[in-house]
Amino acid sequence: MSAAPRQTELLPTASARRTWAVLGEGVRASRRTVALAVAAVLAGGAAGLVAPWVLGDIVDAVAAGEGMDAVLRSVALIAVAAVVGGVFTGLGGWFVGRAGETILARLRERVMDRVLHMPAARLERVRLGDLLSRVGDDVAVVTAGIARNGADLVVAAATVLLTAAGMTALDWRLGLAGLCAMPVYVLALRWYLPRSGPYYARERVAMGERSHAMIGALRGRPAVRAYRLEAEHEGRVGDRSRAAMDITLSVFRLFTRFGARLNAAECAGLAAVLVTGFWLVRADLVTVGMVTSAALYFHRLFGPMIFLVMSFNEVQSAGASLARLAGVADLPAEPEPDTGRDPEDSSLRVEEVVHTYGNGAPPALDGVSLEVAPGERVALVGASGAGKTTLAAVVCGLREPTSGGVYLGGVPLAELGERRVREHVYLVSQETHVFSGTLLEDLALARPEAGEAEALAALERVGALEWVRALPEGLHTVVGEGGHTLTSEQAQHLALARLVLADPPVAVLDEATAEAGSSGARRLERAALAATEGRTTLVVAHRLTQAQAADRVVVMDGGRVVEQGTHDGLVAAGGRYAALWRSWQGAPAGQGPSGTPAALG
């Protein structure tokens, strides 16, 4: 398959306001679990207020000369409050985690739904690394944030609010003294957040760029090795990895300076409470026990406050990832055209189609016109880069032509809509995916209601029944990741059997036998002929034996149709196809001239 340069685009990222709105929608959808989580967290936080208050009472009791009984009662109350607080805090954390995971699961489903229903033409333009980093890295970052810190963040926030209320309940002046730390915290956050936020957004983009470089090199590894470009691609991945690492290190340095400001806030707050308490006790406005409770309350804030502000690192990163996920989840659903028109037959008509990939590249298709009659088999041949695969993609609706039109049974593909095009036109390419599951489940993807008998009939039609019966459990053998590994030939047999089950009127085979060896290719060619019998078929021919078996051969060069006719007629005409055929005939079986694989694109 020839690789044409293409213009790519990044998926959108949601604004902060829209990200909060998407999060709010998830919270409302899980309102019952969220309500239970809030109630449990508040109960646990309220129980945590008991110990400092009672300890203050013990100080006053001792100062007043009360006996040991009062102290023991206070200790028992603290023990009961600790048990109750622990139980409710644990329940609150469990409910928060459950609610968070549920909200994130629904968001992941929305993201996958939007990606899977994205028009194929747009999906072809999206940068693969950007897409994979969103459904992979970004989901992992948000999931880790919820699993590791989600419950603790909610519990810490509730503890801070309730403790501040407890200090104020002791004496409003002590509460105000404790609040002296807040301006320092706020100033620290105001200094940190504007500086760190852009870093995290850049970090997510840098990781997407790194993924894009890695996936591009891995997908094109045969070409990379053939042209000895390993060092260049390794250097590109290394450069993008270093760029992401440099951003991470910059954030860490910033975070260290942020920590020093947080220590200053604690010092300022505790000093204010103690100094205010000293003057209030001297004025006989509060007791020593009340000041003790206030100091303990403020000290109790150290852990939650530090946890909250220190967690801004992960919150910022998770927020950036959440905005990227929300941007995909918010993609508008593409409306399906409802013209009410159905194709009159299975004919194909390509009319003055031009297609360019942008970036200043010359047209991949330049004014191509072609008609394929119902039931006719047409083979596309030509050198790599001639435009064969691009034409096949345009006919399938995977790419939108820059100008011109494609008609199926007299109806423009744009009027039919992507879903109806898929019902009528079926593509089998050399890139066949074997899904994890039983072989029967993999086959049934083409037609879910198909039974075992229909699956066996489809396999028999394409000549795959022998190797299927040789599998450990036949049709019920688990294949794909973690299961039985299928060879390239077997995977292609599977794709052709899916074509038979789907039973579309039009089939497009894009180098569907290219991955097999010589003997395997001949078997797959026979399978492809059987699978497409009676269908309108467009074949991107990898071997000229496929063109020889076609009703008509179309020769392409430079994005144009330069010759077309029957195999015998073109050979007799002595043109480009005749030269290709002579070259093919002069090579050993399965080899092209000079011992190279006899492939045309």
Side-chain angles (χ1 to χ4, degrees), residues 490-534:
Q490 289 171 340
Q492 212 62 41
H493 262 139
L494 180 62
L496 291 169
R498 287 183 191 145
L499 167 62
V500 174
L501 278 178
D503 197 24
V506 180
V508 177
L509 308 184
D510 186 3
E511 300 185 359
T513 66
E515 293 295 324
S518 300
S519 60
R522 285 191 288 270
R523 284 192 295 269
L524 286 179
E525 285 172 14
R526 290 193 295 270
L529 283 170
T532 57
E533 185 179 356

Side-chain angles (χ1 to χ4, degrees), residues 396-462:
C396 292
L398 293 178
R399 293 202 173 108
E400 297 174 355
T402 307
S403 63
V406 179
Y407 300 83
L408 175 62
V411 182
L413 292 190
E415 288 188 18
L416 283 174
E418 189 167 321
R419 181 182 59 80
R420 294 175 68 201
V421 169
R422 295 290 166 271
E423 293 173 355
H424 290 82
V425 183
Y426 195 98
L427 171 68
V428 180
S429 73
Q430 71 184 81
E431 298 177 355
T432 299
H433 185 75
V434 179
F435 291 87
S436 181
T438 66
L439 187 65
L440 179 59
E441 290 170 340
D442 219 309
L443 278 168
L445 290 171
R447 188 155 60 89
E449 68 274 13
E452 188 168 335
E454 292 170 292
L456 289 171
L459 290 166
E460 184 176 21
R461 181 167 173 179
V462 300

Side-chain angles (χ1 to χ4, degrees), residues 1 3 216-230 233:
M1 181 183 293
L218 291 173
R219 290 187 71 190
R221 62 188 181 280
V224 170
R225 289 176 179 173
Y227 291 101
R228 299 177 182 176
L229 297 175
E230 295 95 332
H233 282 272

